[in-house]
Amino acid sequence: MVNKIDKELFNEINKYIKDRYIDQEMLFFNDDSICALPLEEKCLQVKENSDIHKFLKKRRRISEKDLEQKLENSFSKELLSIIEKRNLKSVDVYRKANIDRKHFSKIKNNPNYKPSKITAIAFALAFELDIDETDDFIGKAGYKLTHSSRFDIIIEYCIENKIYNVIEVNDILYDFGENLIGC
């Protein structure tokens, strides 16, 4: 595989992934505990203020009321709302997201359209949303970034490091053997 990013950036992202990756086949979460799966009964208590403890607190299940409030706007309505609020041109947004005009038109004209996770993330990058805004935005389509997906961790890294250009993000994804955005 031909590297599209420099070795230093590759190593930095690789460390970021290793520090955050959670293998769902090996672990499951129960409140503030992590339990190893092959039916072991003992749970390892998570130390308060550890990275995993903070992750668990941030990612706790939201109540039904919170879910209803977050789902008030469909993905399509939220997308168009952000474009309007930021006084952007639709053409600039879908080009920046590396989405073609026909696909954007489908989303725009169907308020119940459910995009793929990659498409939702592409628009989050185009809007240059922070990590919380990205979670809220892609949540409108029923998705969230997880630490059990290398793709998601790479996207999180890019957002935290303000790498929003889809071509640059795709170079990183390519070097890690992940699916590309808008291709």
Side-chain angles (χ1 to χ4, degrees):
M1 175 178 357
V2 177
N3 284 352
K4 294 188 173 230
I5 60 174
D6 67 41
K7 188 173 180 150
E8 185 179 329
L9 178 59
F10 183 89
N11 290 336
E12 184 179 324
I13 295 170
N14 200 35
K15 181 183 179 332
Y16 188 89
I17 292 169
K18 285 180 183 177
D19 289 347
R20 286 160 182 77
Y21 186 74
I22 298 170
D23 186 348
Q24 284 189 334
E25 291 178 12
M26 296 300 293
L27 300 172
F28 70 91
F29 299 108
N30 180 6
D31 294 330
D32 288 340
S33 303
I34 298 178
C35 301
L37 261 183
L39 297 177
E40 292 179 19
E41 291 186 19
K42 68 179 190 178
C43 292
L44 176 66
Q45 292 297 317
V46 177
K47 292 180 184 173
E48 198 160 339
N49 296 324
S50 69
D51 285 342
I52 292 177
H53 185 267
K54 289 176 189 172
F55 171 79
L56 289 171
K57 282 182 99 172
K58 185 176 181 184
R59 302 288 183 179
R60 286 195 197 253
R61 291 187 179 147
I62 57 176
S63 70
E64 284 184 37
K65 184 179 176 184
D66 290 339
L67 184 59
E68 286 173 16
Q69 287 175 344
K70 287 187 177 212
L71 293 177
E72 279 179 11
N73 270 355
S74 68
F75 178 83
S76 176
K77 287 180 183 176
E78 187 68 17
L79 175 73
L80 298 174
S81 172
I82 293 172
I83 290 171
E84 185 179 320
K85 284 179 192 171
R86 294 185 177 191
N87 203 24
L88 302 171
K89 293 180 181 175
S90 296
V91 66
D92 294 336
V93 172
Y94 68 73
R95 282 184 181 162
K96 191 173 179 184
N98 204 22
I99 303 295
D100 69 27
R101 183 187 53 78
K102 282 177 73 174
H103 191 176
F104 179 78
S105 183
K106 258 188 207 179
I107 297 169
K108 179 181 173 184
N109 294 321
N110 182 354
N112 297 319
Y113 184 83
K114 183 178 177 185
S116 69
K117 184 174 184 178
I118 290 177
T119 298
I121 288 170
F123 282 112
L125 292 171
F127 290 136
E128 299 185 6
L129 302 177
D130 68 26
I131 199 70
D132 291 330
E133 292 169 329
T134 297
D135 271 339
D136 288 344
F137 180 68
I138 68 174
K140 300 290 183 183
Y143 304 113
K144 72 181 226 173
L145 296 176
T146 71
H147 283 187
S148 61
S149 163
R150 285 174 14 121
F151 175 89
D152 288 3
I153 296 170
I154 292 167
I155 295 301
E156 181 180 294
Y157 174 88
C158 291
I159 292 169
E160 286 184 1
N161 289 279
K162 300 189 183 320
I163 302 171
Y164 294 111
N165 182 298
V166 173
I167 294 169
E168 290 177 44
V169 173
N170 276 342
D171 286 347
I172 294 167
L173 291 168
Y174 176 85
D175 280 357
F176 282 91
E178 296 295 327
N179 290 330
L180 304 181
I181 296 172
C183 296

PDB file of all heavy atoms in Angstrom, residues 124-140:
ATOM      1  N   ALA A 124     -20.750  16.442   8.279  1.00  0.00           N
ATOM      2  CA  ALA A 124     -20.225  16.966   9.549  1.00  0.00           C
ATOM      3  C   ALA A 124     -18.849  17.577   9.317  1.00  0.00           C
ATOM      4  O   ALA A 124     -18.538  18.656   9.851  1.00  0.00           O
ATOM      5  CB  ALA A 124     -20.165  15.861  10.603  1.00  0.00           C
ATOM      6  N   LEU A 125     -18.032  16.919   8.511  1.00  0.00           N
ATOM      7  CA  LEU A 125     -16.711  17.464   8.181  1.00  0.00           C
ATOM      8  C   LEU A 125     -16.846  18.743   7.358  1.00  0.00           C
ATOM      9  O   LEU A 125     -16.132  19.716   7.602  1.00  0.00           O
ATOM     10  CB  LEU A 125     -15.877  16.432   7.419  1.00  0.00           C
ATOM     11  CG  LEU A 125     -15.429  15.205   8.209  1.00  0.00           C
ATOM     12  CD1 LEU A 125     -14.814  14.160   7.279  1.00  0.00           C
ATOM     13  CD2 LEU A 125     -14.447  15.584   9.310  1.00  0.00           C
ATOM     14  N   ALA A 126     -17.770  18.747   6.414  1.00  0.00           N
ATOM     15  CA  ALA A 126     -17.975  19.931   5.574  1.00  0.00           C
ATOM     16  C   ALA A 126     -18.387  21.140   6.415  1.00  0.00           C
ATOM     17  O   ALA A 126     -17.992  22.268   6.129  1.00  0.00           O
ATOM     18  CB  ALA A 126     -19.029  19.647   4.499  1.00  0.00           C
ATOM     19  N   PHE A 127     -19.180  20.891   7.466  1.00  0.00           N
ATOM     20  CA  PHE A 127     -19.609  21.972   8.359  1.00  0.00           C
ATOM     21  C   PHE A 127     -18.551  22.317   9.406  1.00  0.00           C
ATOM     22  O   PHE A 127     -18.717  23.266  10.161  1.00  0.00           O
ATOM     23  CB  PHE A 127     -20.909  21.600   9.079  1.00  0.00           C
ATOM     24  CG  PHE A 127     -22.117  21.547   8.194  1.00  0.00           C
ATOM     25  CD1 PHE A 127     -23.016  20.491   8.316  1.00  0.00           C
ATOM     26  CD2 PHE A 127     -22.385  22.533   7.267  1.00  0.00           C
ATOM     27  CE1 PHE A 127     -24.160  20.433   7.520  1.00  0.00           C
ATOM     28  CE2 PHE A 127     -23.519  22.487   6.463  1.00  0.00           C
ATOM     29  CZ  PHE A 127     -24.404  21.432   6.595  1.00  0.00           C
ATOM     30  N   GLU A 128     -17.488  21.510   9.476  1.00  0.00           N
ATOM     31  CA  GLU A 128     -16.414  21.687  10.459  1.00  0.00           C
ATOM     32  C   GLU A 128     -16.963  21.679  11.884  1.00  0.00           C
ATOM     33  O   GLU A 128     -16.632  22.528  12.718  1.00  0.00           O
ATOM     34  CB  GLU A 128     -15.601  22.949  10.168  1.00  0.00           C
ATOM     35  CG  GLU A 128     -14.921  22.894   8.810  1.00  0.00           C
ATOM     36  CD  GLU A 128     -14.009  24.070   8.501  1.00  0.00           C
ATOM     37  OE1 GLU A 128     -13.790  24.932   9.391  1.00  0.00           O
ATOM     38  OE2 GLU A 128     -13.496  24.104   7.363  1.00  0.00           O
ATOM     39  N   LEU A 129     -17.801  20.676  12.162  1.00  0.00           N
ATOM     40  CA  LEU A 129     -18.394  20.534  13.490  1.00  0.00           C
ATOM     41  C   LEU A 129     -17.374  19.971  14.475  1.00  0.00           C
ATOM     42  O   LEU A 129     -16.503  19.191  14.089  1.00  0.00           O
ATOM     43  CB  LEU A 129     -19.606  19.599  13.421  1.00  0.00           C
ATOM     44  CG  LEU A 129     -20.730  20.000  12.462  1.00  0.00           C
ATOM     45  CD1 LEU A 129     -21.818  18.932  12.453  1.00  0.00           C
ATOM     46  CD2 LEU A 129     -21.306  21.347  12.839  1.00  0.00           C
ATOM     47  N   ASP A 130     -17.506  20.348  15.751  1.00  0.00           N
ATOM     48  CA  ASP A 130     -16.654  19.733  16.771  1.00  0.00           C
ATOM     49  C   ASP A 130     -17.213  18.348  17.088  1.00  0.00           C
ATOM     50  O   ASP A 130     -18.223  17.931  16.523  1.00  0.00           O
ATOM     51  CB  ASP A 130     -16.512  20.624  18.011  1.00  0.00           C
ATOM     52  CG  ASP A 130     -17.789  20.791  18.821  1.00  0.00           C
ATOM     53  OD1 ASP A 130     -18.672  19.912  18.780  1.00  0.00           O
ATOM     54  OD2 ASP A 130     -17.900  21.815  19.523  1.00  0.00           O
ATOM     55  N   ILE A 131     -16.583  17.629  18.001  1.00  0.00           N
ATOM     56  CA  ILE A 131     -16.959  16.236  18.239  1.00  0.00           C
ATOM     57  C   ILE A 131     -18.378  16.105  18.800  1.00  0.00           C
ATOM     58  O   ILE A 131     -19.133  15.219  18.383  1.00  0.00           O
ATOM     59  CB  ILE A 131     -15.907  15.513  19.126  1.00  0.00           C
ATOM     60  CG1 ILE A 131     -16.031  13.989  18.988  1.00  0.00           C
ATOM     61  CG2 ILE A 131     -15.973  15.928  20.567  1.00  0.00           C
ATOM     62  CD1 ILE A 131     -15.596  13.456  17.666  1.00  0.00           C
ATOM     63  N   ASP A 132     -18.768  16.973  19.720  1.00  0.00           N
ATOM     64  CA  ASP A 132     -20.123  16.909  20.286  1.00  0.00           C
ATOM     65  C   ASP A 132     -21.173  17.274  19.231  1.00  0.00           C
ATOM     66  O   ASP A 132     -22.219  16.638  19.132  1.00  0.00           O
ATOM     67  CB  ASP A 132     -20.262  17.814  21.508  1.00  0.00           C
ATOM     68  CG  ASP A 132     -19.457  17.294  22.697  1.00  0.00           C
ATOM     69  OD1 ASP A 132     -19.287  16.059  22.809  1.00  0.00           O
ATOM     70  OD2 ASP A 132     -19.005  18.126  23.505  1.00  0.00           O
ATOM     71  N   GLU A 133     -20.892  18.313  18.452  1.00  0.00           N
ATOM     72  CA  GLU A 133     -21.810  18.708  17.380  1.00  0.00           C
ATOM     73  C   GLU A 133     -21.934  17.599  16.341  1.00  0.00           C
ATOM     74  O   GLU A 133     -23.020  17.341  15.820  1.00  0.00           O
ATOM     75  CB  GLU A 133     -21.317  19.996  16.701  1.00  0.00           C
ATOM     76  CG  GLU A 133     -21.378  21.221  17.580  1.00  0.00           C
ATOM     77  CD  GLU A 133     -20.635  22.409  16.984  1.00  0.00           C
ATOM     78  OE1 GLU A 133     -19.625  22.215  16.266  1.00  0.00           O
ATOM     79  OE2 GLU A 133     -21.069  23.545  17.247  1.00  0.00           O
ATOM     80  N   THR A 134     -20.811  16.925  16.057  1.00  0.00           N
ATOM     81  CA  THR A 134     -20.828  15.812  15.105  1.00  0.00           C
ATOM     82  C   THR A 134     -21.703  14.686  15.620  1.00  0.00           C
ATOM     83  O   THR A 134     -22.532  14.142  14.879  1.00  0.00           O
ATOM     84  CB  THR A 134     -19.398  15.300  14.825  1.00  0.00           C
ATOM     85  OG1 THR A 134     -18.646  16.351  14.213  1.00  0.00           O
ATOM     86  CG2 THR A 134     -19.408  14.074  13.922  1.00  0.00           C
ATOM     87  N   ASP A 135     -21.547  14.330  16.892  1.00  0.00           N
ATOM     88  CA  ASP A 135     -22.382  13.272  17.471  1.00  0.00           C
ATOM     89  C   ASP A 135     -23.863  13.639  17.393  1.00  0.00           C
ATOM     90  O   ASP A 135     -24.692  12.800  17.050  1.00  0.00           O
ATOM     91  CB  ASP A 135     -21.985  12.987  18.921  1.00  0.00           C
ATOM     92  CG  ASP A 135     -20.909  11.925  19.037  1.00  0.00           C
ATOM     93  OD1 ASP A 135     -20.728  11.135  18.092  1.00  0.00           O
ATOM     94  OD2 ASP A 135     -20.256  11.864  20.090  1.00  0.00           O
ATOM     95  N   ASP A 136     -24.184  14.889  17.705  1.00  0.00           N
ATOM     96  CA  ASP A 136     -25.586  15.328  17.618  1.00  0.00           C
ATOM     97  C   ASP A 136     -26.083  15.278  16.178  1.00  0.00           C
ATOM     98  O   ASP A 136     -27.186  14.800  15.910  1.00  0.00           O
ATOM     99  CB  ASP A 136     -25.754  16.749  18.170  1.00  0.00           C
ATOM    100  CG  ASP A 136     -25.635  16.814  19.682  1.00  0.00           C
ATOM    101  OD1 ASP A 136     -25.731  15.768  20.344  1.00  0.00           O
ATOM    102  OD2 ASP A 136     -25.437  17.934  20.195  1.00  0.00           O
ATOM    103  N   PHE A 137     -25.263  15.769  15.256  1.00  0.00           N
ATOM    104  CA  PHE A 137     -25.656  15.842  13.852  1.00  0.00           C
ATOM    105  C   PHE A 137     -25.853  14.454  13.250  1.00  0.00           C
ATOM    106  O   PHE A 137     -26.897  14.170  12.658  1.00  0.00           O
ATOM    107  CB  PHE A 137     -24.614  16.639  13.058  1.00  0.00           C
ATOM    108  CG  PHE A 137     -24.918  16.766  11.600  1.00  0.00           C
ATOM    109  CD1 PHE A 137     -25.996  17.512  11.156  1.00  0.00           C
ATOM    110  CD2 PHE A 137     -24.114  16.142  10.656  1.00  0.00           C
ATOM    111  CE1 PHE A 137     -26.277  17.629   9.803  1.00  0.00           C
ATOM    112  CE2 PHE A 137     -24.387  16.253   9.302  1.00  0.00           C
ATOM    113  CZ  PHE A 137     -25.467  17.000   8.870  1.00  0.00           C
ATOM    114  N   ILE A 138     -24.871  13.571  13.390  1.00  0.00           N
ATOM    115  CA  ILE A 138     -25.027  12.237  12.803  1.00  0.00           C
ATOM    116  C   ILE A 138     -26.059  11.425  13.576  1.00  0.00           C
ATOM    117  O   ILE A 138     -26.640  10.484  13.041  1.00  0.00           O
ATOM    118  CB  ILE A 138     -23.686  11.482  12.649  1.00  0.00           C
ATOM    119  CG1 ILE A 138     -23.079  11.103  13.991  1.00  0.00           C
ATOM    120  CG2 ILE A 138     -22.716  12.288  11.795  1.00  0.00           C
ATOM    121  CD1 ILE A 138     -21.845  10.229  13.892  1.00  0.00           C
ATOM    122  N   GLY A 139     -26.327  11.836  14.818  1.00  0.00           N
ATOM    123  CA  GLY A 139     -27.383  11.204  15.609  1.00  0.00           C
ATOM    124  C   GLY A 139     -28.751  11.405  14.982  1.00  0.00           C
ATOM    125  O   GLY A 139     -29.656  10.593  15.174  1.00  0.00           O
ATOM    126  N   LYS A 140     -28.917  12.490  14.214  1.00  0.00           N
ATOM    127  CA  LYS A 140     -30.188  12.733  13.517  1.00  0.00           C
ATOM    128  C   LYS A 140     -30.475  11.633  12.500  1.00  0.00           C
ATOM    129  O   LYS A 140     -31.613  11.414  12.126  1.00  0.00           O
ATOM    130  CB  LYS A 140     -30.177  14.087  12.801  1.00  0.00           C
ATOM    131  CG  LYS A 140     -29.976  15.275  13.707  1.00  0.00           C
ATOM    132  CD  LYS A 140     -31.177  15.515  14.562  1.00  0.00           C
ATOM    133  CE  LYS A 140     -30.972  16.774  15.404  1.00  0.00           C
ATOM    134  NZ  LYS A 140     -32.062  17.017  16.306  1.00  0.00           N
TER     135      LYS A 140
END
